[in-house]
Protein backbone atom coordinates (compact mmCIF):
# COMPACT_ATOMS: atom_id res chain seq x y z
CA UNK A 1 0.00 0.00 0.00
CA UNK A 2 2.79 2.44 0.89
CA UNK A 3 4.42 1.84 -2.50
CA UNK A 4 1.14 2.51 -4.31
CA UNK A 5 0.56 5.78 -2.45
CA UNK A 6 4.09 6.99 -3.09
CA UNK A 7 3.70 6.11 -6.78
CA UNK A 8 0.47 8.08 -6.88
CA UNK A 9 2.09 11.05 -5.22
CA UNK A 10 5.31 11.25 -7.18
CA UNK A 11 5.30 9.08 -10.33
CA UNK A 12 1.88 10.24 -11.58
CA UNK A 13 2.09 13.91 -10.64
CA UNK A 14 1.77 15.97 -13.83
CA UNK A 15 5.09 17.49 -14.89
CA UNK A 16 3.51 20.94 -14.97
CA UNK A 17 2.77 20.68 -11.25
CA UNK A 18 6.22 19.42 -10.39
CA UNK A 19 7.61 22.47 -12.14
CA UNK A 20 5.53 24.63 -9.81
CA UNK A 21 7.05 23.02 -6.71
CA UNK A 22 3.80 21.32 -5.72
CA UNK A 23 2.94 22.00 -2.02
CA UNK A 24 1.83 18.34 -1.63
CA UNK A 25 5.51 17.41 -1.46
CA UNK A 26 5.77 19.28 1.86
CA UNK A 27 3.36 16.89 3.60
CA UNK A 28 3.80 13.72 1.52
CA UNK A 29 5.64 12.01 4.40
CA UNK A 30 2.60 12.51 6.65
CA UNK A 31 0.41 10.97 3.96
CA UNK A 32 2.49 7.81 3.84
CA UNK A 33 2.83 6.90 7.53
CA UNK A 34 1.53 3.49 8.58
CA UNK A 35 -1.41 5.03 10.44
CA UNK A 36 -2.36 7.24 7.47
CA UNK A 37 -2.12 4.35 5.01
CA UNK A 38 -4.37 2.17 7.16
CA UNK A 39 -7.05 4.85 7.25
CA UNK A 40 -6.80 5.49 3.51
CA UNK A 41 -7.11 1.75 2.83
CA UNK A 42 -10.28 1.72 4.98
CA UNK A 43 -11.78 4.59 2.99
CA UNK A 44 -11.36 7.09 5.82
CA UNK A 45 -10.25 10.70 5.44
CA UNK A 46 -7.02 11.91 7.02
CA UNK A 47 -5.85 15.44 7.68
CA UNK A 48 -3.03 17.49 9.13
CA UNK A 49 -1.30 20.84 9.00
CA UNK A 50 1.80 21.89 7.10
CA UNK A 51 4.19 24.82 6.91
CA UNK A 52 3.81 27.21 4.01
CA UNK A 53 5.75 30.43 4.16
CA UNK A 54 3.26 33.25 3.75
CA UNK A 55 3.30 36.83 4.92
CA UNK A 56 1.38 37.32 7.12
CA UNK A 57 1.25 33.82 8.58
CA UNK A 58 -1.69 31.67 7.59
CA UNK A 59 -3.40 28.48 8.68
CA UNK A 60 -2.23 25.71 6.30
CA UNK A 61 -4.24 22.48 6.32
CA UNK A 62 -4.34 19.38 4.13
CA UNK A 63 -6.66 16.39 3.81
CA UNK A 64 -6.79 13.20 1.75
CA UNK A 65 -9.11 10.29 0.99
CA UNK A 66 -9.36 7.41 -1.49
CA UNK A 67 -12.55 7.61 -3.55
CA UNK A 68 -14.01 4.70 -5.61
CA UNK A 69 -14.69 6.84 -8.68
CA UNK A 70 -12.78 7.99 -11.73
CA UNK A 71 -10.63 11.12 -11.49
CA UNK A 72 -12.97 12.70 -14.05
CA UNK A 73 -15.99 12.15 -11.78
CA UNK A 74 -14.10 13.54 -8.78
CA UNK A 75 -13.07 16.68 -10.67
CA UNK A 76 -16.63 17.06 -11.97
CA UNK A 77 -17.96 17.08 -8.39
CA UNK A 78 -15.37 19.65 -7.27
CA UNK A 79 -16.19 21.92 -10.21
CA UNK A 80 -19.94 21.83 -9.51
CA UNK A 81 -19.77 25.17 -7.69
CA UNK A 82 -23.52 25.74 -7.02
CA UNK A 83 -23.81 22.33 -5.34
CA UNK A 84 -20.58 22.58 -3.32
CA UNK A 85 -22.47 23.39 -0.06
CA UNK A 86 -23.96 19.87 -0.28
CA UNK A 87 -20.65 18.40 0.80
CA UNK A 88 -18.88 21.43 2.30
CA UNK A 89 -21.23 22.43 5.12
CA UNK A 90 -19.32 25.55 6.17
CA UNK A 91 -19.57 26.86 2.62
CA UNK A 92 -22.80 28.85 2.49
CA UNK A 93 -22.74 30.03 -1.11
CA UNK A 94 -20.82 29.43 -4.35
CA UNK A 95 -21.30 30.93 -7.79
CA UNK A 96 -19.29 31.09 -11.00
CA UNK A 97 -18.74 34.72 -11.99
CA UNK A 98 -16.89 34.01 -15.23
CA UNK A 99 -15.51 31.01 -17.07
CA UNK A 100 -12.77 30.65 -19.68
CA UNK A 101 -12.89 27.03 -20.84
CA UNK A 102 -10.46 25.62 -23.36
CA UNK A 103 -12.67 22.58 -23.86
CA UNK A 104 -10.67 19.60 -22.63
CA UNK A 105 -10.34 20.66 -19.00
CA UNK A 106 -6.68 21.65 -19.30
CA UNK A 107 -5.84 25.29 -18.56
CA UNK A 108 -9.49 26.20 -17.92
CA UNK A 109 -10.03 29.15 -15.59
CA UNK A 110 -13.00 30.30 -13.54
CA UNK A 111 -13.62 33.27 -11.27
CA UNK A 112 -15.65 32.08 -8.27
CA UNK A 113 -17.55 33.92 -5.55
CA UNK A 114 -18.05 32.15 -2.22
CA UNK A 115 -19.25 32.78 1.30
CA UNK A 116 -17.75 30.77 4.16
CA UNK A 117 -18.73 30.56 7.83
CA UNK A 118 -15.77 29.05 9.71
CA UNK A 119 -17.51 28.93 13.10
CA UNK A 120 -20.56 30.28 14.91
CA UNK A 121 -18.56 33.14 16.46
CA UNK A 122 -16.66 34.16 13.31
CA UNK A 123 -18.03 36.59 10.73
CA UNK A 124 -19.34 35.40 7.38
CA UNK A 125 -16.41 35.53 4.93
CA UNK A 126 -17.26 36.81 1.46
CA UNK A 127 -14.55 36.56 -1.21
CA UNK A 128 -13.73 35.92 -4.87
CA UNK A 129 -10.88 33.84 -6.23
CA UNK A 130 -9.46 32.38 -9.41
CA UNK A 131 -9.54 28.60 -10.04
CA UNK A 132 -7.15 27.13 -12.60
CA UNK A 133 -7.66 23.59 -13.90
CA UNK A 134 -4.83 21.50 -15.30
CA UNK A 135 -4.96 17.74 -15.88
CA UNK A 136 -6.15 16.24 -12.57
CA UNK A 137 -5.42 19.31 -10.49
CA UNK A 138 -7.03 22.58 -9.40
CA UNK A 139 -5.30 25.64 -7.99
CA UNK A 140 -6.91 28.57 -6.15
CA UNK A 141 -5.62 32.14 -5.75
CA UNK A 142 -7.35 35.03 -3.98
CA UNK A 143 -8.67 38.01 -5.90
CA UNK A 144 -10.56 40.05 -3.28
CA UNK A 145 -12.80 39.87 -0.23
CA UNK A 146 -12.70 39.21 3.51
CA UNK A 147 -9.45 37.24 3.42
CA UNK A 148 -5.83 38.29 3.58
CA UNK A 149 -4.60 34.96 2.20
CA UNK A 150 -6.24 32.19 0.21
CA UNK A 151 -4.20 29.74 -1.82
CA UNK A 152 -4.52 26.01 -2.28
CA UNK A 153 -6.19 23.41 -4.41
CA UNK A 154 -6.91 19.78 -5.15
CA UNK A 155 -4.83 16.96 -6.65
CA UNK A 156 -6.41 13.74 -7.90
CA UNK A 157 -4.01 10.83 -8.37
CA UNK A 158 -5.43 7.93 -10.46
CA UNK A 159 -5.05 4.49 -8.90
CA UNK A 160 -3.36 2.19 -11.45
CA UNK A 161 -5.62 -0.71 -12.40
CA UNK A 162 -8.65 0.57 -10.50
CA UNK A 163 -11.48 2.99 -11.15
CA UNK A 164 -10.57 5.12 -8.15
CA UNK A 165 -8.37 7.98 -7.12
CA UNK A 166 -6.49 9.47 -4.21
CA UNK A 167 -7.94 12.93 -3.57
CA UNK A 168 -5.67 15.42 -1.81
CA UNK A 169 -6.83 18.86 -0.68
CA UNK A 170 -4.74 21.65 0.76
CA UNK A 171 -5.35 25.27 1.71
CA UNK A 172 -3.56 28.20 3.29
CA UNK A 173 -6.03 30.74 4.61
CA UNK A 174 -6.06 33.83 6.81
CA UNK A 175 -9.25 35.81 7.46
CA UNK A 176 -9.01 39.60 7.51
CA UNK A 177 -10.92 39.52 10.81
CA UNK A 178 -8.86 38.90 14.00
CA UNK A 179 -9.55 35.17 14.33
CA UNK A 180 -6.70 33.17 15.99
CA UNK A 181 -4.94 30.93 13.47
CA UNK A 182 -5.03 27.95 15.85
CA UNK A 183 -8.82 28.22 15.90
CA UNK A 184 -8.98 28.36 12.09
CA UNK A 185 -6.65 25.35 11.84
CA UNK A 186 -8.59 23.23 14.35
CA UNK A 187 -12.01 24.04 12.91
CA UNK A 188 -10.99 23.51 9.29
CA UNK A 189 -9.22 20.21 10.03
CA UNK A 190 -12.44 18.86 11.51
CA UNK A 191 -14.41 20.29 8.59
CA UNK A 192 -12.09 18.78 5.97
CA UNK A 193 -12.61 15.30 7.41
CA UNK A 194 -16.39 15.66 7.15
CA UNK A 195 -16.19 17.24 3.69
CA UNK A 196 -13.99 14.53 2.19
CA UNK A 197 -16.06 11.71 3.68
CA UNK A 198 -19.27 13.30 2.33
CA UNK A 199 -17.67 13.61 -1.12
CA UNK A 200 -16.76 9.93 -1.00
CA UNK A 201 -20.33 9.00 -0.04
CA UNK A 202 -21.81 11.13 -2.83
CA UNK A 203 -19.53 9.60 -5.45
CA UNK A 204 -20.30 6.10 -4.21
CA UNK A 205 -24.02 6.44 -4.94
CA UNK A 206 -25.15 4.52 -8.03
CA UNK A 207 -26.80 6.62 -10.71
CA UNK A 208 -25.24 9.82 -9.41
CA UNK A 209 -25.12 12.55 -12.06
CA UNK A 210 -21.50 13.34 -11.15
CA UNK A 211 -20.53 9.88 -12.42
CA UNK A 212 -21.73 10.61 -15.96
CA UNK A 213 -20.51 12.95 -18.67
CA UNK A 214 -23.92 14.53 -19.14
Amino acid sequence: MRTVVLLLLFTLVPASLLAQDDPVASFADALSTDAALRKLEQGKAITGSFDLETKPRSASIWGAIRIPASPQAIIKLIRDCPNAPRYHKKLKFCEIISSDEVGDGDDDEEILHQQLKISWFSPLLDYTFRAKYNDNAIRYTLISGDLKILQGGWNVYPDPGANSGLLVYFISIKPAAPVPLWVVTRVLQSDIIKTLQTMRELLSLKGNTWLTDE
Side-chain angles (χ1 to χ4, degrees):
M1 178 64 180
R2 181 187 297 273
T3 301
V4 171
V5 170
L6 292 177
L7 280 172
L8 293 175
L9 288 175
F10 297 111
T11 306
L12 299 177
V13 175
S16 58
L17 291 181
L18 288 175
Q20 297 172 18
D21 196 13
D22 193 345
V24 175
S26 66
F27 53 83
D29 286 344
L31 268 170
S32 58
T33 64
D34 290 337
L37 294 175
R38 281 195 299 271
K39 288 185 177 180
L40 289 173
E41 182 69 17
Q42 295 167 1
K44 297 179 180 179
I46 59 174
T47 187
S49 59
F50 67 103
D51 294 325
L52 186 64
E53 294 184 4
T54 58
K55 294 182 179 180
R57 290 184 61 247
S58 61
S60 298
I61 306 103
W62 62 267
I65 195 169
R66 293 175 67 87
I67 295 181
S70 69
Q72 293 77 15
I74 298 171
I75 292 292
K76 185 177 180 180
L77 172 61
I78 296 171
R79 292 189 63 169
D80 189 355
C81 174
N83 286 309
R86 285 187 60 185
Y87 60 83
H88 190 178
K89 299 306 181 183
K90 295 191 181 301
L91 188 63
K92 303 305 178 184
F93 174 81
C94 184
E95 68 171 341
I96 301 173
I97 296 177
S98 65
S99 180
D100 181 12
E101 296 191 6
V102 175
D104 59 1
D106 294 349
D107 300 318
D108 289 356
E109 286 191 18
E110 291 178 339
I111 304 299
L112 304 175
H113 173 213
Q114 291 185 345
Q115 292 180 341
L116 180 71
K117 184 75 170 177
I118 293 179
S119 64
W120 64 269
F121 57 82
S122 67
L124 182 68
L125 303 176
D126 188 287
Y127 52 91
T128 60
F129 63 97
R130 176 175 287 103
K132 291 188 176 183
Y133 307 94
N134 186 290
D135 294 327
N136 293 327
I138 300 172
R139 292 293 179 270
Y140 300 140
T141 53
L142 180 66
I143 295 177
S144 63
D146 300 327
L147 298 173
K148 288 186 176 180
I149 293 173
L150 174 67
Q151 59 187 83
W154 304 83
N155 283 13
V156 183
Y157 302 103
D159 192 343
N163 189 41
S164 66
L166 175 65
L167 177 60
V168 178
Y169 172 73
F170 58 95
I171 186 172
S172 290
I173 185 171
K174 180 176 178 59
V179 181
L181 290 182
W182 70 267
V183 173
V184 177
T185 298
R186 179 173 296 180
V187 171
L188 289 186
Q189 279 188 321
S190 174
D191 181 55
I192 287 172
I193 290 287
K194 297 174 184 176
T195 296
L196 292 175
Q197 291 179 165
T198 302
M199 293 174 73
R200 189 179 195 276
E201 292 169 3
L202 288 172
L203 287 171
S204 298
L205 296 174
K206 292 183 178 180
N208 201 308
T209 56
W210 287 300
L211 302 179
T212 70
D213 294 327
E214 299 177 0

